């Protein structure tokens, strides 16, 4: 796909971080225009929250987007990807 940044192929990367130190690698992947799915279910709850907060801040700083899929799974995407959550049947507004 041709973009203002040159040739670009969409890529989705799945991370299963084990330590807070993995956060920088996740933000870097989004900076490289990759969409990232993070499943923090293998981490200590407090450390997972810290990692998600750090990644969300880093992604926001580069005008990316974040979406919470469930309590431990998140999607982070670069600015040129459109993230949209469809309302599920039976939810308010449907």
């Amino acid at each position: 796909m041709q973009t203002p940044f040159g040739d670009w192929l969409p890529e989705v990367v799945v991370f299963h971080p084990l330590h807070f130190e993995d956060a920088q690698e996740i933000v870097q992947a989004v900076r490289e225009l990759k969409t990232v799915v993070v499943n923090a279910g293998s981490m200590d709850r407090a450390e997972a929250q810290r990692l998600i907060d750090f990644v969300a801040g880093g992604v926001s700083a580069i005008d990316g987007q974040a979406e919470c899929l469930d309590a431990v799974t998140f999607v982070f995407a670069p600015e040129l990807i459109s993230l949209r959550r469809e309302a599920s049947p039976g939810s308010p507004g449907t």
Side-chain angles (χ1 to χ4, degrees):
M1 170 187 292
Q2 184 67 25
T3 70
F5 308 107
D7 289 331
W8 173 72
L9 295 173
E11 185 175 354
V12 176
V13 181
V14 178
F15 282 91
H16 294 274
L18 298 175
H19 307 285
F20 174 78
E21 291 75 21
D22 299 328
Q24 188 171 358
E25 183 180 358
I26 296 167
V27 174
Q28 183 60 37
V30 178
R31 288 187 72 205
E32 294 170 356
L33 304 179
K34 298 172 184 172
T35 298
V36 176
V37 177
V38 177
N39 183 314
S42 298
M43 297 179 69
D44 168 76
R45 186 175 177 90
E47 191 172 23
Q49 183 65 55
R50 189 170 158 232
L51 176 129
I52 295 302
D53 289 347
F54 180 91
V55 173
V59 169
S60 176
I62 57 174
D63 295 324
Q65 306 164 71
E67 180 71 40
C68 176
L69 300 180
D70 64 30
V72 296
T73 310
F74 297 80
V75 175
F76 298 97
E79 181 180 20
L80 56 97
I81 296 294
S82 176
L83 282 183
R84 184 180 71 197
R85 179 173 276 229
E86 294 291 330
S88 54
S91 66
T94 57

